[in-house]
């Protein structure tokens, strides 16, 4: 089963399109009847991905970047690699529910990810550890504000639990058997994304 809540919607929809009939299991994953199905424990990244664009903007414009518990592990995969692995699962049927990752199924630490984001935009922001309690408190305040104003909040207590989850790494049994090799490690994937954003004016280079 899935530990925590964090299957990325983009990857899930790719899986649904390639796998055909799917039914929801719990809140965070889809299991497909008669097909293999790919999912991510942690994060996808790549062009057109709004969350990583926000990260790159912060890394470029801010002298500080937040990090969380150094023990946490976050699996990553570039959206193009995720799409290729899911398409391969559709072509070569392998029953089961599998998790997707790049060549680091043990995942990355928060410091690694933030430092990689800084390198991708040519910056070296200082990393600041944010206490778990602060993340939880902000999420609760966001929820109260959402209910008071009757607006939708994307930063909910559930999202906070996802962010604070300690271990998004993959075990051997969770990985796709004979998975296609991924093209992008974190540095190459982030650099590819930043180049794409800059060419299209989504990320303006700051002197």
């Amino acid at each position: 089963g899935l530990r925590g809540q964090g299957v990325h919607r983009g990857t899930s929809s790719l899986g649904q399109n390639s796998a055909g009939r799917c039914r929801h299991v719990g809140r965070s994953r889809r299991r497909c009847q008669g097909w293999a199905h790919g999912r991510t424990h942690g994060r996808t990244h790549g062009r057109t991905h709004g969350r990583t664009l926000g990260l790159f903007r912060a890394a470029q414009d801010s002298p500080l970047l937040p990090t969380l518990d150094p023990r946490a592990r976050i699996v990553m995969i570039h959206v193009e690699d995720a799409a290729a692995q899911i398409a391969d699962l559709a072509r070569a049927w392998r029953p089961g529910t599998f998790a997707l990752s790049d060549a680091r199924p043990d995942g990355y630490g928060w410091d690694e990810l933030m430092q990689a984001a800084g390198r991708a935009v040519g910056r070296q922001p200082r990393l600041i550890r944010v206490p778990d309690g602060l993340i939880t408190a902000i999420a609760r305040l966001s929820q109260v504000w959402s209910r008071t104003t009757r607006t939708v909040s994307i930063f909910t207590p559930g999202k906070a639990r996802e962010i604070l989850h300690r271990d998004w790494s993959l075990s051997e049994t969770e990985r796709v058997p004979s998975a296609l090799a991924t093209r992008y490690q974190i540095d190459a994937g982030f650099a590819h994304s930043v180049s794409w954003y800059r060419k299209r004016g989504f990320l303006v280079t700051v002197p």
Side-chain angles (χ1 to χ4, degrees), residues 9 43 51 154-164:
R9 287 189 296 272
R43 293 286 184 273
R51 293 180 186 174
I154 61 172
F155 193 60
T156 63
K159 176 58 67 176
R161 287 192 296 272
E162 175 189 330
I163 292 172
L164 297 175

Side-chain angles (χ1 to χ4, degrees), residues 77-133:
I77 187 167
H78 192 281
V79 291
E80 293 182 11
D81 287 328
Q85 288 192 1
I86 291 171
D88 184 60
L89 280 170
R91 286 191 298 266
W93 179 72
R94 281 152 281 181
T97 299
F98 306 113
L100 309 179
S101 77
D102 63 11
R104 289 273 301 273
D106 57 322
Y108 299 86
W110 282 106
D111 284 11
E112 282 185 280
L113 294 178
M114 295 302 170
Q115 289 166 352
R119 288 192 296 271
V121 296
R123 298 286 192 271
Q124 290 183 309
R126 182 183 175 190
L127 305 183
I128 301 294
R129 170 75 190 281
V130 178
D132 290 4

Side-chain angles (χ1 to χ4, degrees), residues 20-132:
R21 289 186 306 148
C22 296
R23 61 183 174 85
H24 285 276
V25 178
R27 296 179 58 188
S28 304
R29 77 179 189 196
R30 296 183 179 95
R31 184 185 299 278
C32 298
Q33 299 173 351
W35 291 83
H37 180 53
R39 60 185 172 84
T40 60
H41 269 56
R43 293 286 184 273
T44 53
H45 61 96
R47 62 187 188 183
T48 74
H49 194 285
R51 293 180 186 174
T52 47
L53 174 57
L55 172 60
F56 296 140
R57 283 175 173 164
Q60 178 175 269
D61 299 338
S62 173
L64 305 175
L65 281 181
T67 66
L68 300 174
D69 194 313
R71 298 169 296 177
R73 307 301 298 173
I74 304 99
V75 165
M76 301 288 289
I77 187 167
H78 192 281
V79 291
E80 293 182 11
D81 287 328
Q85 288 192 1
I86 291 171
D88 184 60
L89 280 170
R91 286 191 298 266
W93 179 72
R94 281 152 281 181
T97 299
F98 306 113
L100 309 179
S101 77
D102 63 11
R104 289 273 301 273
D106 57 322
Y108 299 86
W110 282 106
D111 284 11
E112 282 185 280
L113 294 178
M114 295 302 170
Q115 289 166 352
R119 288 192 296 271
V121 296
R123 298 286 192 271
Q124 290 183 309
R126 182 183 175 190
L127 305 183
I128 301 294
R129 170 75 190 281
V130 178
D132 290 4

